[in-house]
Each structure stands twice: as C-alpha cells, then as structure tokens.
Amino acid sequence: MISIEVKDMTCGHCASALRQAIAAIDVGATVKIDLAARLLHIDSAVADAPALIEAVRAAGYDPQPVDWGAEDAPARSGGACCGG
Ligand SMILES: [Cu+2]
C-alpha cells in the first residue's frame, strides 16, 4: 500500500482524474481516495511508488509522498482543475 498526499485534489472531479491516471499505468491497481484528507491509497502489483507519483504529477497535480520521512516537503499552490 502506497499513500500519496495530493493537496490540490479538492473535489470529485480531481479524484476521478487521479483514479484514471493511476489506471492508465496499472488498470488492476486498487485505489482508495480520501478526499477530505487529500490522500490517495494505492495497491499496485505493477507500478512502484515513483511511477505512481509521476502519474499523479503528469495528471497536473502536486503529489507529496506520505511516510517517506519527507517532513519538510515544499509547500506549493497548485493549478489543479479547481484552482486550489
Ligand atoms: Cu477538482
């Protein structure tokens, strides 16, 4: 299970866009989305964490790895579908 924080995932459209982005690299992945916490939880037998992060980024969002010890990740205002 890989968890990714996506701060600019703000609505159901963002969630479905990210779901599709993950499916594009692993159609068999299990994706759980916690919109309130802005978290993606992904189980994939094919894609590793960097590939998933890259897929989220390619979809136009700003992913932050969770539980990777990245405590001082840079804060950014994103340009996602809802403008933040
Ligand atoms: Cu949205």
Side-chain angles (χ1 to χ4, degrees):
M1 176 75 78
I2 295 161
S3 296
I4 302 171
E5 182 178 17
V6 186
K7 285 197 167 71
D8 45 8
M9 176 177 69
T10 52
C11 73
H13 178 271
C14 299
S16 71
L18 288 166
R19 206 179 276 279
Q20 286 179 25
I22 302 303
I25 59 169
D26 179 9
V27 73
T30 301
V31 182
K32 289 202 296 184
I33 295 179
D34 185 339
L35 197 55
R38 311 274 167 90
L39 287 171
L40 296 178
H41 304 287
I42 303 158
D43 246 329
S44 172
V46 177
D48 58 8
L52 295 166
I53 295 269
E54 189 51 41
V56 171
R57 188 171 288 138
Y61 295 86
D62 185 21
Q64 302 288 345
V66 176
D67 295 334
W68 292 13
E71 289 183 10
D72 54 354
R76 275 180 36 195
S77 57
C81 76
C82 305

